[in-house]
């Protein structure tokens, strides 16, 4: 009900289920950026012999930050983790990564095709593209990630993460103090959900489309509690406090009376 997995409910759901079991937890939900209680979920999975996968596509970037890394406590106990540095890594699409705890989990990707990676060609030193990636001739997306990590390092990326998380807190404070807006909740990462007070879902949807059509603002939408909310995902570290106030004024000005 709160938008994250409940360990007690998971424990009950896994009881007497046939094996194997895979539990998919989330570190940074699409709607509100919420993070499941990873340590407690890992305990439940261990008790039931279940594998734990964590979708950290959004929240995984918190690992760069000394201030926010603790939010991902328990992530190291996952068997597999997905990350997307297109988000809190500032990479162009695509920048998805799969991290695994046990290298043998990758054996399923080892395929042979005579026209791509014949044994004798591989032994002769020819590039084994199929052995490096199941996508073979697709572009090497890891290169831009490596360049960014080499240029900024963990400390540099962590500073950017800290900035956008602080911006989200600042925007949430502005919304909460405004008499004509409702705040969904304190942001966990850099996503802020808000809506004009008393507005219908139709009015909220119309406001979002007007802002987009007029080239004023690009806001997402979410309905975590059955009502429609505007979603501001702050990922630009160059955003300034004045930009946040302007955004709120734009939404106010485009909301039907």
């Amino acid at each position: 009900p709160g938008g994250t997995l409940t360990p007690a409910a998971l424990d009950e759901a896994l009881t007497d289920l046939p094996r194997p079991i895979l539990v998919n937890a989330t570190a940074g939900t699409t709607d509100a950026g919420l993070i499941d209680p990873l340590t407690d979920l890992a305990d439940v999975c261990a008790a039931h012999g279940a594998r734990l996968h964590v979708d950290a596509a959004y929240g995984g970037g918190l690992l760069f930050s000394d201030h926010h890394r603790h939010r991902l406590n328990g992530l190291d106990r996952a068997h597999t983790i997905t990350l997307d540095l297109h988000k809190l890594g500032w990479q162009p699409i695509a920048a998805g990564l799969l991290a695994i705890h046990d290298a043998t989990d990758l054996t399923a990707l080892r395929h042979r095709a005579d026209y791509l990676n014949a044994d004798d060609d591989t032994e002769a030193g020819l590039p084994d593209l199929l052995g490096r990636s199941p996508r073979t001739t697709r572009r090497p997306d890891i290169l831009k990630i490596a360049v960014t990590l080499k240029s900024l390092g963990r400390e540099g990326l962590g500073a950017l993460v800290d900035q956008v998380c602080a911006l989200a807190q600042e925007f949430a404070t502005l919304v909460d103090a405004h008499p004509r807006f409702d705040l969904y909740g304190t942001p966990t990462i850099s996503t802020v959900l808000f809506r004009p007070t008393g507005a219908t879902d139709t009015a909220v949807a119309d406001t979002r489309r007007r802002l987009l059509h007029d080239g004023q603002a690009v806001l997402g939408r979410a309905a975590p509690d059955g009502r429609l909310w505007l979603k501001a995902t702050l990922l630009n570290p160059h955003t300034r406090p004045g930009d946040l106030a302007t955004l709120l004024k734009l939404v106010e000005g485009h909301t039907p009376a």
Side-chain angles (χ1 to χ4, degrees):
T4 57
L5 285 175
T6 304
L10 177 65
D11 181 57
E12 182 180 351
L14 295 185
T15 301
D16 298 327
L17 275 183
R19 273 52 175 172
I21 300 171
L22 174 66
V23 173
N24 189 104
T26 307
T29 58
T30 302
D31 277 355
L34 304 179
I35 298 174
D36 286 333
L38 302 178
T39 297
D40 292 341
L41 295 178
D43 289 341
V44 173
C45 288
H48 288 275
R51 289 177 62 91
L52 175 62
H53 173 77
V54 178
D55 174 358
Y58 178 19
L62 295 177
L63 289 171
F64 295 123
S65 167
D66 291 336
H67 300 292
H68 297 286
R69 189 182 308 124
H70 69 277
R71 297 178 183 273
L72 298 181
N73 286 348
L75 184 67
D76 58 315
R77 296 178 60 189
H79 295 83
T80 54
I81 303 166
T82 45
L83 307 160
D84 187 357
L85 295 182
H86 165 62
K87 305 176 189 298
L88 290 179
W90 293 275
Q91 300 298 299
I93 292 174
L97 300 171
L98 172 67
I100 59 166
H101 195 274
D102 184 351
T104 59
D105 283 340
L106 292 181
T107 55
L109 301 178
R110 294 177 184 170
H111 294 285
R112 287 286 171 187
D114 286 339
Y115 70 97
L116 284 176
N117 60 344
D119 289 338
D120 56 333
D121 281 345
T122 301
E123 292 170 2
L126 294 183
D128 184 356
L129 295 179
L130 189 59
R132 294 172 184 267
S133 167
R135 301 194 299 174
T136 61
T137 55
R138 296 284 291 277
R139 65 190 182 189
D141 289 319
I142 195 61
L143 178 60
K144 62 197 176 193
I145 298 172
V147 169
T148 300
L149 291 171
K150 198 74 172 173
S151 300
L152 297 178
R154 185 173 67 81
E155 185 176 331
L157 285 168
L160 298 180
V161 170
D162 291 344
Q163 283 178 255
V164 296
C165 288
L167 284 167
Q169 295 293 334
E170 187 168 349
F171 186 54
T173 299
L174 284 176
V175 172
D176 198 34
H178 199 295
R180 295 190 61 187
F181 286 98
D182 295 332
L183 177 69
Y184 178 75
T186 302
T188 301
I189 307 178
S190 67
T191 295
V192 180
L193 299 183
F194 66 107
R195 55 179 286 140
T197 301
T200 64
D201 286 352
T202 300
V204 173
D206 287 344
T207 297
R208 175 179 172 271
R209 284 190 288 266
R210 288 179 185 178
L211 288 166
L212 182 62
H213 183 268
D214 293 346
Q216 297 292 314
V218 179
L219 291 169
R221 55 186 287 167
D225 60 355
R227 295 183 297 164
L228 189 62
W229 295 78
L230 297 171
K231 180 172 73 168
T233 303
L234 295 156
L235 291 173
N236 185 353
H238 296 294
T239 301
R240 295 293 175 259
D243 300 324
L244 301 175
T246 297
L247 174 59
L248 209 53
K249 290 179 181 177
L250 285 170
V251 174
E252 185 177 13
H254 282 72
T255 301

